[in-house]
DNA sequence: TTCATGGTTCGACCGTAGGCGAAGCATCGA
DNA sequence: TCGATGCTTCGCCTACGGTCGAACCATGAA
């Protein structure tokens, strides 16, 4: 039998603790250098170098050389999707990491998933757009005309996004809420815009997104939860 | 950092070639015995036994004892989802299994994904329902009233499905078409019904679903592709 | 009871892959 | 030009995990 593509290679790649930690760190969407990743995974420089070579070779991460630094990112949203799916499974089968720090609550509320907003607030954003028929998903997810107007009014330059190759809208399933939320370049733009508006900022030490009280209020007004 | 659940354990579990083959075989949705799985993975009985103990221990597969046989299945749709996501990634990064037999075409057209219809025809089923507003997906996927009527007319006992705990509708992303299709107990019921109507039967040696010429015609009539 | 079949446990073997220290290239700043 | 920093290559070690043969239980059939 053995139908379909070769799963084992990639799963084994993710299956190493050091590499898994590196990849989870990259889920923040930030580009990290080799040394930063070494710190994340708590391994030495030579070790992390070997790991990164494998990950890049398999197409899981992308590299960008800048001066004497090398910046690594996840290669695609698809990679992020696999990681999220794995997290969901791990959470479900009770493989939850024992240490459940105070951070965990914040992560559940709002966090960055690769490059867009996830967690409860991510789900609310998505649901709110859907309920008002600004976003539609018949087969592929896409903006309606009213949605495009809404997005523009929110201060996002749609034409610039459309010019890029990357898909505008993508759906992503997250591990904590187990609900669909908005990914793709539009998802990214939403998050960036919210940061620009001063609604929220990223916790530099985790994937959490910290909303200010005022930001929370504004968010609730802009994206009311569907009745 | 190391936020979120422990990915590495599970990924490592899937990462072993023997286990990966066993899991892919179980994607057919059929319950397989230990010896059958041993044949799939081309390993000895003791080896497969050890693997199954690990998989069951981690909650990836379920066991059911019957006489002197032990039947194994994937533990949940979530597990299947992870496997599909991995296949998608593997296919995308060019890790495609070199051997591209004649089966491959059939698999791309229609195949069973855990327990529901996937592949091009699975996508068409899903898109067709969405386009006619029989199925809606605002946050959670659900049937509209018209949809419920349609499903009943198709010969599916909805109330029986609703009585179960399992979610009625779920979305699943498949590796070949990279599009969303319908999973959940309704997805399963659709496939079963089509087999009952004689439209299609499962290839016993692979995950392919073979539609008869008449079945193909009927399918196209019942689920016209959205213009 | 006795045999056959499905599955597990045990022990031993072996390969591979992860890990680090030290040395080797690059690139930048002064 | 010289150091300092970031990353890679090399060589070596270690350990874990997959593998099987043989012996061992359990269930069902003769």
């Amino acid at each position: 039998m053995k139908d379909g593509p070769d799963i084992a290679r990639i799963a084994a790649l993710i299956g190493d603790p050091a590499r898994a930690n590196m990849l989870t760190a990259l889920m923040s969407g930030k580009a990290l250098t080799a040394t930063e990743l070494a710190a994340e995974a708590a391994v030495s420089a030579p070790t992390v170098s070997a790991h990164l070579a494998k990950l890049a070779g398999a197409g899981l991460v992308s590299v960008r050389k800048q001066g004497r630094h090398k910046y690594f990112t996840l290669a695609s949203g698809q990679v992020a999707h696999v990681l999220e799916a794995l997290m969901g499974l791990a959470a479900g089968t009770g493989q939850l990491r024992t240490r459940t720090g105070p951070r965990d609550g914040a992560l559940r509320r709002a966090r960055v998933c690769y490059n867009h907003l996830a967690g409860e607030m991510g789900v609310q954003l998505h649901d709110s757009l859907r309920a008002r028929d600004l976003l539609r998903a018949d087969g592929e997810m896409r903006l309606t005309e009213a949605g495009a107007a809404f997005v523009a009014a929110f201060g996002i330059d749609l034409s610039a996004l459309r010019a890029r190759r990357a898909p505008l809208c993508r759906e992503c399933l997250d591990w904590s809420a187990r609900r669909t939320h908005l990914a793709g370049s539009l998802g990214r733009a939403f998050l960036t815009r919210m940061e620009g508006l001063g609604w929220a900022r990223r916790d530099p030490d985790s994937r959490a997104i910290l909303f200010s009280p005022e930001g929370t209020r504004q968010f609730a007004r802009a994206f009311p939860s569907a009745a």
Side-chain angles (χ1 to χ4, degrees), chain A:
Chain A
M1 284 216 203
K2 305 182 196 166
D3 301 317
D6 186 7
I7 274 184
R9 254 209 200 86
I10 293 187
L13 236 37
I14 306 177
D16 176 80
R19 284 192 294 258
N21 284 334
M22 295 161 58
L23 290 171
T24 335
L26 288 176
M27 280 290 280
S28 69
K30 284 185 286 196
L32 299 176
T33 70
T35 32
E36 286 170 326
L37 287 170
E40 286 298 334
V43 290
S44 72
T47 307
V48 89
S49 178
H51 283 314
L52 285 170
K54 289 185 188 180
L55 289 175
L60 294 188
V61 303
S62 310
V63 204
R64 201 181 46 196
K65 237 177 142 174
Q66 214 165 80
R68 52 181 165 182
H69 294 271
K70 264 184 153 180
Y71 286 96
F72 293 86
T73 54
L74 294 187
S76 70
Q78 219 177 355
V79 177
H81 180 240
V82 167
L83 293 175
E84 276 280 323
L86 274 170
M87 289 185 193
L89 185 54
T93 52
Q95 301 283 0
L96 256 177
R97 203 164 275 259
T98 45
R99 162 182 80 74
T100 297
R103 251 186 212 160
D104 223 55
L107 282 180
R108 243 168 248 284
R109 268 196 299 285
R111 67 173 183 281
V112 57
C113 167
Y114 188 39
N115 55 24
H116 55 272
L117 180 63
E120 289 162 13
M121 296 186 75
V123 170
Q124 182 173 338
L125 165 66
H126 169 267
D127 288 4
S128 178
L129 294 179
R130 281 276 191 101
R132 287 180 286 168
D133 200 39
L134 301 175
L135 190 66
R136 205 176 283 168
D138 34 9
E140 276 182 42
M141 198 181 258
R142 57 189 177 73
L143 276 177
T144 61
E145 289 198 23
F150 176 88
V151 167
F154 192 66
I156 292 175
D157 181 1
L158 254 182
S159 54
L161 292 183
R162 287 221 165 94
R164 300 182 173 234
R165 277 174 325 210
L168 191 66
C169 302
R170 258 181 52 82
E171 41 195 55
C172 183
L173 188 75
D174 82 44
W175 62 265
S176 57
R178 299 217 197 156
R179 296 279 298 277
T180 304
H181 58 265
L182 179 64
S185 58
L186 180 60
R188 172 193 210 121
F190 262 118
L191 177 56
T192 312
R193 179 67 179 142
M194 289 181 201
E195 290 177 289
L197 287 169
W199 290 9
R201 61 185 177 78
R202 304 192 186 189
D203 178 359
D205 293 331
S206 80
R207 290 167 55 205
I209 298 180
L210 309 170
F211 275 78
S212 69
E214 179 60 20
T216 310
R217 207 162 20 243
Q218 300 275 11
F219 182 93
R221 180 130 42 97
F223 309 103
S225 58

